[in-house]
């Protein structure tokens, strides 16, 4: 009778052990393995495949939803970073075009000043008109220089923004 009871107890313990392994240990190992995979690879596409109505099933479901949200957020950040980079390039090109225009205007202004100086030598009446034009040219030069300085400041700001975006993109890639 004691031998039968011992056999029944051992058999019962084996069954309980098998049930615990199937219902707890194996799913828990799956959760741990998936978490380690995400940690080591930084791949937000990993999901836990546990379909049960217990706490482990709930942990798997919450984890999967969380990974979906993280993936969506990262995608939005990458899209925004790409758009900002594109806009930064367009602004840089526009700034460079403005600088070129300012340089051409400055050159043309210098040429106009030379022409006015030559006309001053030919006529006294033209000389007074030339002085007024030279003053206007000087003001234009100052405005052109101010414009060029602003454009250079804009380019520096754009370059800083671009570097910040590159750094952010690098951090995001590392995540």
């Amino acid at each position: 009778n004691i031998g039968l009871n011992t056999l029944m107890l051992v058999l019962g313990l084996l069954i309980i052990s098998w049930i615990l392994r199937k219902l707890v240990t194996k799913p828990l190992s799956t959760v741990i393995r998936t978490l380690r995979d995400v940690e080591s690879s930084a791949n937000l596409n990993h999901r836990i495949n546990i379909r049960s109505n217990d706490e482990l099933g709930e942990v798997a479901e919450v984890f999967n939803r969380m990974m979906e949200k993280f993936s969506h957020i990262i995608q939005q950040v990458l899209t925004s970073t790409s758009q900002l980079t594109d806009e930064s390039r367009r602004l840089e090109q526009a700034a460079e075009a403005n600088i070129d225009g300012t340089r051409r205007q400055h050159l043309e202004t210098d040429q106009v000043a030379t022409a006015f100086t030559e006309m001053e030598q030919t006529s006294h009446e033209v000389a007074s008109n030339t002085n007024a034009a030279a003053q206007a040219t000087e003001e234009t030069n100052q405005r052109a220089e101010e414009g060029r300085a602003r454009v250079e400041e804009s380019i520096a700001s754009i370059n800083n923004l671009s570097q910040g975006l590159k750094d952010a993109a690098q951090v995001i890639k590392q995540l």
Side-chain angles (χ1 to χ4, degrees):
N1 198 11
I2 293 177
L4 181 61
N5 286 340
T6 304
L7 180 63
M8 292 294 280
L9 179 63
V10 168
L11 187 58
L13 288 175
L14 286 174
I15 291 172
I16 290 172
S17 172
W18 180 79
I19 290 172
L20 283 176
R21 177 166 168 66
K22 180 147 177 78
L23 295 178
V24 176
T25 306
K26 187 176 178 184
L28 191 55
S29 294
T30 301
V31 169
I32 291 170
R33 187 179 342 94
T34 303
L35 291 173
R36 285 185 177 149
D37 287 347
V38 169
E39 176 192 27
S40 66
S41 69
N43 183 347
L44 300 181
N45 292 322
H46 289 288
R47 299 296 180 266
I48 299 175
N49 271 339
I50 296 178
R51 306 277 186 247
S52 64
N53 293 326
D54 59 6
E55 288 80 4
L56 286 173
E58 188 175 343
V59 166
E61 184 180 325
V62 169
F63 173 83
N64 291 339
R65 282 195 314 259
M66 181 179 68
M67 295 308 286
E68 283 295 325
K69 288 179 183 178
F70 285 165
S71 292
H72 182 69
I73 289 169
I74 294 299
Q75 187 58 43
Q76 286 177 329
V77 168
L78 289 173
T79 299
S80 295
T81 300
S82 176
Q83 290 171 346
L84 284 172
T85 299
D86 291 345
E87 285 302 315
S88 174
R89 286 183 186 131
R90 278 187 227 127
L91 284 173
E92 184 178 7
Q93 289 171 350
E96 287 174 3
N98 284 338
I99 289 172
D100 289 342
T102 302
R103 287 181 182 145
R104 280 192 306 272
Q105 183 180 10
H106 184 71
L107 179 63
E108 290 169 1
T109 302
D110 285 345
Q111 291 170 349
V112 168
T114 301
F116 282 131
T117 301
E118 290 173 0
M119 287 190 303
E120 180 182 25
Q121 295 171 358
T122 60
S123 168
H124 186 289
E125 183 179 34
V126 175
S128 62
N129 291 337
T130 302
N131 285 334
Q135 287 177 349
T137 300
E138 187 62 27
E139 288 175 10
T140 301
N141 280 340
Q142 287 177 342
R143 288 189 184 124
E145 285 296 323
E146 290 171 2
R148 183 188 59 75
R150 287 187 184 134
V151 168
E152 287 177 357
E153 288 174 9
S154 294
I155 288 173
S157 294
I158 289 168
N159 287 337
N160 286 338
L161 176 61
S162 178
Q163 184 61 43
L165 290 173
K166 288 177 185 174
D167 293 343
Q170 185 65 28
V171 168
I172 290 170
K173 285 182 183 178
Q174 292 175 354
L175 290 178

